[in-house]
Amino acid sequence: MEISCKSEYGILALLEMATNYQSGEPMQIRQIAAQQNIPDRYLEQLLATLRRGGIIKSQRGSKGGYLLAREPKRITLFEILECLEGLDVRTGQTNINHRTVDSGVIEEIWQEACQAANSVFQNYSLQDLCEKRDSRRQLDIMYYI
């Protein structure tokens, strides 16, 4: 499994908003795009999708922009991926009419893998990602003499 460009950019944009969450100030598209190196027009589409999904909200006006709809700890990675990719939450359902026993076995294993992946995504919030990022940044600090 690979993360799509759409999901990666969406999560990066949300991480930027989560970092800025405490200020309560909305972030503009160009600001997020510059910080995370995301094309402006593509980011605009992603943010519209995330807004429709209830993950972020927009604020109009001269001081307008986008901000998280809830606290970062209340937004799961699963919810983000579901919004951006349209993931099927009902991974427990299997197609009973398999052409062969072999295809039935493959389907069962695929369903098990999807459930395991979804479980991991549900266990991580946007806040968890921010904390992991911050701890890695601390490890990457280099001191020069």
Side-chain angles (χ1 to χ4, degrees):
M1 294 177 78
E2 274 188 45
I3 188 167
S4 71
C5 190
K6 178 196 290 188
S7 290
E8 182 176 0
Y9 283 164
I11 293 168
L12 287 172
L14 291 170
L15 279 172
E16 195 63 36
M17 285 187 249
T19 302
N20 195 50
Y21 181 77
Q22 292 301 325
S23 75
E25 297 292 320
M27 296 187 75
Q28 296 180 347
I29 290 175
R30 62 175 152 45
Q31 190 180 10
I32 298 167
Q35 285 292 112
Q36 294 295 337
N37 199 24
I38 303 171
D40 290 25
R41 291 198 185 267
Y42 192 52
L43 180 58
E44 190 174 340
Q45 295 170 5
L46 292 175
L47 294 179
T49 301
L50 291 166
R51 186 183 51 75
R52 284 190 301 273
I55 295 174
I56 63 173
K57 56 186 177 180
S58 60
Q59 182 175 318
R60 295 178 182 239
S62 61
K63 299 216 183 227
Y66 292 90
L67 39 107
L68 296 177
R70 299 183 300 280
E71 295 176 82
K73 68 181 177 184
R74 303 214 183 281
I75 300 172
T76 66
L77 193 53
F78 180 79
E79 182 182 2
I80 297 165
L81 294 173
E82 183 180 36
C83 178
L84 292 171
E85 300 290 345
L87 294 178
D88 187 5
V89 186
R90 300 169 306 278
T91 57
Q93 297 177 348
T94 56
N95 185 1
I96 298 171
N97 299 327
H98 297 293
R99 286 179 275 149
T100 65
V101 172
D102 295 348
S103 65
V105 168
I106 292 168
E107 177 69 21
E108 285 175 24
I109 292 171
W110 184 257
Q111 292 298 319
E112 187 178 335
C114 288
Q115 288 172 347
N118 288 344
S119 176
V120 170
F121 296 146
Q122 288 169 341
N123 286 328
Y124 282 97
S125 70
L126 206 47
Q127 183 67 39
D128 296 330
L129 268 63
C130 287
E131 289 170 4
K132 278 183 168 288
R133 177 203 56 205
D134 294 344
S135 68
R136 289 233 176 122
R137 282 182 178 169
Q138 289 296 324
L139 293 174
D140 288 345
I141 293 176
M142 294 181 66
Y143 296 96
Y144 295 96
I145 300 176

